[in-house]
Amino acid sequence: MTVASLSSSGASTPQHSRLLIQSPYSDADHLLDLDTLDRENALLARALTVMQHTREDYATALYEDSFNWDDIFAELKRLVMEEGQGFKQTSFYVVAFRSQIKAETDTSHLGALDKAAHAEAVASGGFLKYWFGRPNADRRNLATCLWRSREDAIAGGRGPAHRKAAGSTRSLYSHWKIDQHRLTIGENAESWEISQAIFNMADALKDAPFQAVQVDALVAVKINKHCSSAFPTTATGAIVGMDQNGVLEITNSFGFPSTDGTSSDSHQNDASAAAAAAPRQKANQTYQSEMIRHLKEVNVDANNVGWYTSATLGNFVNMNFIENQVHYQTANNATVALVYDASKSSQGNLALRAFRLTASFMTAFKEGKFTTDILQKSKLSYKDIFAELPVTIHNSHLLTSFLHQIPGLPSEEDIEPPVSSADLERDQVQAPLHPSIDMLDLAIDPFLEKTCDLLLESIELHYTDLNNFQFYQRQLGREQTKISQWQAKRKAENAQRAVAKQAPLPEDEWQRLFKLPQEPSRLEGMLNAKQVEQYSKQVDGFTAGISARMFAVRENLAPQ
Amino acid sequence: MAAVTERFMHLSRPLGPQQAGLQSSIAPLGVNIQPQAILSILDHATRRDVRDASQPSRVIGALVGTRSEDGTEVEVRSCFGIPHTEEEDQVEVDVEYQKNMLALTLKANPREALLGWYTTSLELNSFSALIQNFFGSPDTGTFPHPAIHLTVSTDPSTAIETRCYISAPVAVNSERAAESCLFMQVPHKMLYGDAERSALGAISAAKDNENRNAPLVSDIEALGASIEQTIGLLDRVSEWVNGVLDEDEEPNAALAQFLMSTLSLAPKVDPEQIEHDFNNHIQDVLMVGYLANTIRTQIDLSQRLATANIQIGEKEGENKNEGDKDGQRGGGKRGGRGGRGGGRGGGQQREPREPREPAE
């Protein structure tokens, strides 16, 4: 109990003052108000006042090794003891900003930017500690922030001052890197751990109101049923739910009315096209709001969070998809598109994916211009069109108890031996739903073939797109030649007129005389590229699966 | 199956109230329930109003689905909840709501029809009879077909049990006919097709997790799980067989017979033939994979060149044009010989993408 004896020495922190200096800045609006935090966070914030770097090469060293964590946690333990109310296991969000400043950057300007952003972040709440070092000889530096949670960090970065600071990053630093860590402190501050937090899609989704999608079992089954019964026609519908703590919970869904109930095979394409466009139609929007109004009465989350569509082997990247999602995302940013792949799911593994358009694409789409110039400036590539979100399935307690009643794995205990083969015939063992034995099916060639067909179609599209563009280039070239000819002619004329002491003719009349062709939109091409990427990844997946299965079969049939 | 019903004698269907000229069928009735209907009911049960303690813990709703042509088989495809209140001596069902919701549901699925209703307790009481008569009546219900009543027990401490009924009118006098009826149990089962297996599989994956969540896994992970499970089962069987051989286990003729007939299904093929087929096929598969990736690279390159800021030569427009042509030549060759186009395209200078904005 050496910890207890330490308690008298802890005079470094003001015990009962509300405001805490949590950064190198000590002005009033840079202080952390401890009353805004819960006990664990307040305790850690107080303990962090002893934070110091332990080595000089912190700018490049491992994060865990760079600070006096042992002292911090000794201090934390002491504070916990002193308060005597224990410490619940909590995790915190840590950002480490490693940078290399450009030689010519004016650091005083940088300091002002940083200070403004810091005041703003403190005001937004949950900001526990800010620390930064000095640039070393190599002009490398480390700055680190500890936050209550990732959400707080995101909220803290929304203000104008932070934007301004982040915006000038590119011009001030020659190189930078942002590491995210998770600091977890165990019960009673007995243990602690700093782990590399994995926020895979953090980059593309940094502005998204949620980072993951949680689908209720009911929704998975409903979408599955709707889409597979409509197959091969496209089926679309709306989903409802709510977003909470960075996770979008989807709790119910309903299909949109199919346009015609008697779709014969010859009209299949029409029906598909109509269904694909359904989410944007006026009639369906009325249907959707009507349905949601009714669902609200039976306590379903009455909050539209997007839509779903069916696809065949990943062929969903097209204008319809984009337009639908733009439609939803404009109305409500917290929306998502679920894509159910009917063909892929028939192989035994549920293929349900969630997508949303990135903010940069949304801005570009609103402006409606996808010319080469704009794409160059905005650095928007086909890879940034949409971001995929991880999907998890969630069951209610009731459903879990129900699922335990349907066949699972054969029981581990001894089973009553059957009396006759008729017994076996009668009580056949039901295959468990998970893990599914459908996965072991070898007949994958049709899927591979179909994907290849789709891939060829995409290439065809790509070719058309390029032809269009080339046509435009030729026309543009022709017009430009004409213009320069005209300009040369006019110049010569003017030179003559100058000699003859006459007023020169205007030289910009060509703008009226000639019309430059419009550049075709590059959006189609981008979508197509995304689609091809989609297909080839899918082929990779198929190849991996089938080769594993084939080797298994070979070993089985022809043992070495 | 989940909905294994207890064995009971299933008699012919009772006669409904006879209308002039309408002869309803008396054939027995079978009810098939699709999983999404059950899930919907369970979901509704968890969303019941708990704020008002005077309200019953059960909820009710309508069943929607299809009937076979002769009306002897019905399939419950979906359902929707209906708000209702129960008091000492009266029950109120939001009839207007039921009508609107039914219209909305049928709009999306024109081939379906109202089949009956469900409730989330096994109990049958006089309110049940009242509601049953409402759902079976000619104006608002399923007449001339019988209304189906599905009860699902949602008591947290017991297993979930489902029962299915139809009813016959019974009353001591005509005044009381509206609030009484004779419920007769009919057999029902939960049916799922191949298409639903994948979704049910994904859901079942979460059943043993404490947080009731399961991430959707990639195909290859799922394959791994399946293979592991199969190997486990095979090991178990061979262990048993070895046990029998070592005289540790009781031999069983029926099981042995079953195993023999299963093993005899394995095809007898020439090892060389297998080797040959295997090599052919795996090469095809790998080739397709390779080509698909080549195409992706080509298209990627073409996209990059289309927007690249190339600063050789004088006019930007012309350079761009050239870049495009290159990309197109590569892509146009269907990947097969596309490698060359890519090489040439790669020769052009292209600007490396700048790092993205920092995340925070």
Side-chain angles (χ1 to χ4, degrees):
Chain A
M1 300 288 101
T2 46
V3 184
S5 64
L6 267 171
S7 64
S8 54
S9 65
S12 57
T13 39
Q15 296 294 306
H16 294 291
S17 88
R18 270 181 54 201
L19 298 173
L20 185 77
I21 302 174
Q22 56 90 267
S23 67
Y25 307 115
S26 53
D27 303 352
D29 53 351
H30 291 280
L31 299 182
L32 174 67
D33 185 349
L34 290 176
D35 284 6
T36 60
L37 300 171
D38 61 5
R39 200 175 67 248
E40 280 75 19
N41 280 290
L43 283 171
L44 180 68
R46 282 168 60 192
L48 282 170
T49 50
V50 303
M51 182 166 173
Q52 267 173 355
H53 60 92
T54 48
R55 47 198 289 177
E56 284 309 316
D57 58 344
Y58 51 77
T60 48
L62 265 180
Y63 187 80
E64 293 92 304
D65 302 341
S66 301
F67 296 99
N68 56 338
W69 292 111
D70 291 328
D71 298 348
I72 294 170
F73 289 105
E75 171 73 6
L76 179 63
K77 255 191 192 167
R78 190 186 66 75
L79 290 169
V80 170
M81 283 290 200
E82 193 177 278
E83 221 181 35
Q85 291 185 45
F87 191 91
K88 280 205 294 284
Q89 174 169 340
T90 318
S91 58
F92 304 89
Y93 177 69
V94 182
V95 184
F97 181 77
R98 295 175 192 277
S99 57
Q100 184 177 25
I101 209 156
K102 284 184 185 167
E104 66 273 16
T105 303
D106 170 18
T107 35
S108 63
H109 169 58
L110 188 67
L113 276 177
D114 188 64
K115 201 166 174 183
H118 178 258
E120 195 177 84
V122 168
S124 100
F127 193 2
L128 304 181
K129 177 75 187 173
Y130 182 53
W131 180 94
F132 58 79
R134 277 170 201 289
N136 63 9
D138 213 11
R139 298 187 313 282
R140 289 183 186 277
N141 198 0
L142 169 72
T144 183
C145 311
L146 271 104
W147 290 88
R148 183 167 54 194
S149 68
R150 180 170 153 77
E151 286 69 41
D152 287 321
I154 292 170
R158 284 216 182 97
H162 184 270
R163 280 236 174 106
K164 199 173 155 206
S168 52
T169 314
R170 186 169 303 212
S171 57
L172 298 173
Y173 297 101
S174 54
H175 174 84
W176 73 89
K177 185 167 171 262
I178 291 173
D179 293 332
Q180 304 174 75
H181 302 275
R182 186 176 292 289
L183 166 65
T184 312
I185 302 178
E187 209 66 38
N188 289 326
E190 297 288 342
S191 62
W192 59 276
E193 184 194 15
I194 295 178
S195 59
Q196 188 82 38
I198 302 161
F199 299 106
N200 258 340
M201 279 158 283
D203 224 22
L205 292 171
K206 63 180 173 189
D207 42 25
F210 44 83
Q211 267 70 41
V213 173
Q214 178 183 305
V215 177
D216 248 35
L218 172 66
V219 179
V221 175
K222 267 188 158 177
I223 292 179
N224 172 300
K225 181 69 194 164
H226 182 205
C227 294
S228 52
S229 61
F231 186 75
T233 314
T234 313
T236 49
I239 48 182
V240 295
M242 55 177 68
D243 62 320
Q244 212 175 357
N245 302 333
V247 176
L248 183 74
E249 293 173 8
I250 300 171
T251 50
N252 214 327
S253 71
F254 52 90
F256 287 129
S258 48
T259 29
D260 56 336
T262 54
S263 66
S264 60
D265 277 355
S266 59
H267 293 107
Q268 201 191 75
N269 282 335
D270 300 350
S272 264
R280 304 193 297 281
Q281 275 166 9
K282 267 264 148 52
N284 281 321
Q285 283 168 39
T286 340
Y287 180 82
Q288 178 184 313
S289 49
E290 188 83 345
M291 197 74 171
I292 289 177
R293 204 163 51 81
H294 278 88
L295 287 175
K296 192 177 177 183
E297 302 233 346
V298 281
N299 300 334
V300 173
D301 300 331
N303 181 18
N304 176 250
V305 290
W307 61 293
Y308 67 83
T309 181
S310 66
T312 311
L313 294 171
N315 66 344
F316 60 89
V317 191
N318 49 36
M319 272 318 272
N320 263 327
F321 180 84
I322 299 290
E323 273 174 37
N324 285 339
Q325 183 59 18
V326 165
H327 169 83
Y328 274 95
Q329 220 165 307
T330 327
N332 174 6
N333 191 29
T335 48
V336 75
L338 286 182
V339 177
Y340 170 79
D341 202 315
S343 303
K344 262 187 98 185
S345 293
S346 65
Q347 289 170 53
N349 195 20
L350 183 69
L352 189 68
R353 305 164 72 185
F355 295 95
R356 50 179 281 120
L357 297 172
T358 57
S360 47
F361 180 80
M362 281 293 282
T363 344
F365 193 87
K366 264 182 213 143
E367 278 166 22
K369 280 187 196 133
F370 285 93
T371 56
T372 314
D373 260 4
I374 289 181
L375 289 182
Q376 268 171 12
K377 265 187 218 128
S378 62
K379 300 262 175 254
L380 190 74
S381 83
Y382 68 95
K383 286 187 175 126
D384 310 324
I385 295 178
F386 45 68
E388 187 170 355
L389 296 132
V391 178
T392 50
I393 297 274
H394 180 78
N395 295 343
S396 68
H397 282 295
L398 258 182
L399 184 60
T400 311
S401 101
F402 181 66
L403 284 172
H404 277 280
Q405 289 173 252
I406 49 179
L409 292 169
S411 76
E412 294 292 324
E413 297 116 53
D414 283 336
I415 305 164
E416 184 84 2
V419 181
S420 67
S421 33
D423 270 0
L424 279 173
E425 294 275 316
R426 197 171 52 242
D427 297 327
Q428 278 188 358
V429 179
Q430 297 280 347
L433 287 167
H434 173 85
S436 157
I437 48 164
D438 292 353
M439 281 304 294
L440 300 176
D441 194 5
L442 276 172
I444 203 166
D445 287 2
F447 297 105
L448 212 50
E449 253 170 58
K450 183 85 183 60
T451 317
C452 289
D453 280 349
L454 290 168
L455 202 50
L456 287 183
E457 250 170 58
S458 286
I459 293 169
E460 214 66 52
L461 261 173
H462 178 71
Y463 200 63
T464 330
D465 194 55
L466 280 176
N467 270 341
N468 280 345
F469 197 73
Q470 271 186 312
F471 179 71
Y472 156 75
Q473 293 280 12
R474 273 201 300 276
Q475 271 207 319
L476 185 71
R478 221 175 290 145
E479 290 295 311
Q480 269 168 346
T481 335
K482 274 192 207 161
I483 291 170
S484 49
Q485 274 172 0
W486 183 87
Q487 275 173 326
K489 207 175 131 207
R490 186 44 71 86
K491 256 198 192 124
E493 239 172 84
N494 275 344
Q496 277 185 356
R497 288 172 78 103
V499 171
K501 296 253 162 35
Q502 282 170 316
L505 292 169
E507 285 200 18
D508 50 0
E509 246 175 46
W510 61 270
Q511 282 168 346
R512 277 192 293 114
L513 292 172
F514 300 98
K515 211 171 147 207
L516 287 176
Q518 273 257 274
E519 184 177 344
S521 163
R522 313 298 311 244
L523 181 58
E524 283 286 339
M526 281 168 71
L527 288 182
N528 200 38
K530 183 78 198 169
Q531 181 73 76
V532 168
E533 194 194 14
Q534 193 74 246
Y535 287 147
S536 75
K537 279 194 178 149
Q538 192 166 288
V539 169
D540 276 354
F542 282 149
T543 321
I546 191 66
S547 38
R549 273 171 261 194
M550 281 177 61
F551 275 103
V553 168
R554 186 178 68 156
E555 287 304 307
N556 227 337
L557 290 184
Q560 306 295 314
Chain B
M1 286 275 90
V4 181
T5 48
E6 62 259 67
R7 298 181 195 280
F8 55 85
M9 190 172 268
H10 182 41
L11 301 170
S12 66
R13 181 194 308 186
L15 288 169
Q18 290 292 303
Q19 293 281 0
L22 265 175
Q23 183 66 52
S24 56
S25 146
I26 54 159
L29 186 82
V31 180
N32 300 329
I33 305 166
Q34 294 200 340
Q36 61 158 324
I38 295 274
L39 262 60
S40 237
I41 294 171
L42 295 180
D43 182 67
H44 188 197
T46 56
R47 288 175 186 281
R48 64 173 193 269
D49 247 321
V50 284
R51 283 163 296 186
D52 191 353
S54 69
Q55 282 308 307
S57 61
R58 69 172 189 176
V59 288
I60 67 162
L63 302 172
V64 181
T66 54
R67 279 191 192 87
S68 67
E69 261 171 40
D70 57 353
T72 54
E73 287 276 320
V74 295
E75 190 169 303
V76 180
R77 292 204 172 165
S78 65
C79 55
F80 55 87
I82 302 171
H84 87 300
T85 54
E86 277 178 42
E87 265 151 46
E88 258 330 79
D89 51 353
Q90 65 168 10
V91 56
E92 240 174 71
V93 177
D94 195 336
V95 179
E96 194 62 25
Y97 180 90
Q98 187 257 346
K99 217 173 83 189
N100 291 339
M101 195 65 185
L102 183 64
L104 283 173
T105 313
L106 296 189
K107 204 172 158 196
N109 308 291
R111 267 169 270 183
E112 296 178 2
L114 181 70
L115 294 179
W117 65 293
Y118 68 81
T119 184
T120 53
S121 87
L122 285 180
E123 191 196 355
L124 295 172
N125 55 22
S126 58
F127 292 153
S128 300
L130 209 62
I131 302 171
Q132 172 75 5
N133 284 336
F134 165 75
F135 274 97
S137 71
D139 312 327
T140 50
T142 56
F143 189 81
H145 303 281
I148 293 151
H149 179 39
L150 178 69
T151 56
V152 182
S153 73
T154 51
D155 188 9
S157 56
T158 56
I160 288 165
E161 206 180 320
T162 52
R163 282 183 201 157
C164 208
Y165 303 91
I166 54 171
S167 68
V170 59
V172 280
N173 55 36
S174 55
E175 281 92 60
R176 303 210 50 186
E179 53 190 272
S180 44
C181 65
L182 172 70
F183 280 105
M184 299 185 75
Q185 215 170 344
V186 288
H188 65 283
K189 53 183 184 281
M190 195 171 98
L191 269 193
Y192 53 85
D194 284 340
E196 284 119 72
R197 281 193 67 109
S198 59
L200 290 174
I203 293 166
S204 317
K207 75 175 177 184
D208 292 323
N209 288 0
E210 214 164 291
N211 58 0
R212 295 168 286 127
N213 280 345
L216 288 183
V217 292
S218 68
D219 283 356
I220 200 88
E221 283 170 284
L223 178 65
S226 300
I227 290 179
E228 257 171 43
Q229 187 224 341
T230 314
I231 290 176
L233 289 176
L234 289 176
D235 281 349
R236 196 172 165 193
V237 171
S238 59
E239 199 180 300
W240 181 77
V241 172
N242 282 332
V244 172
L245 290 179
D246 297 346
E247 297 184 350
D248 291 340
E249 299 267 354
E250 193 67 29
N252 185 304
L255 270 182
Q257 204 178 351
F258 181 78
L259 285 178
M260 276 303 280
S261 54
T262 310
L263 282 177
S264 66
L265 290 177
K268 291 229 171 356
V269 263
D270 187 18
E272 273 167 40
Q273 186 65 34
I274 290 181
E275 197 66 34
H276 179 246
D277 287 353
F278 171 82
N279 284 335
N280 270 349
H281 198 148
I282 199 111
Q283 268 168 19
D284 285 355
V285 169
L286 292 178
M287 193 60 177
V288 170
Y290 169 71
L291 290 183
N293 277 310
T294 316
I295 293 168
R296 177 172 72 177
T297 320
Q298 289 292 329
I299 302 258
D300 187 25
L301 200 58
S302 149
Q303 282 289 316
R304 271 163 185 260
L305 287 171
T307 54
N309 210 350
I310 303 161
Q311 275 135 356
I312 351 163
E314 66 292 40
K315 262 193 198 162
E316 226 183 79
E318 274 170 29
N319 272 315
K320 245 183 279 155
N321 194 4
E322 221 169 278
D324 257 79
K325 259 193 238 155
D326 246 347
Q328 170 229 325
R329 237 176 269 152
K333 279 182 188 145
R334 300 275 160 87
R337 290 152 289 155
R340 275 191 311 165
R344 222 182 306 155
Q348 299 259 356
Q349 246 192 343
R350 60 191 159 93
E351 194 191 51
R353 235 143 244 287
E354 279 191 38
R356 297 177 56 86
E357 285 276 295
E360 300 305 335

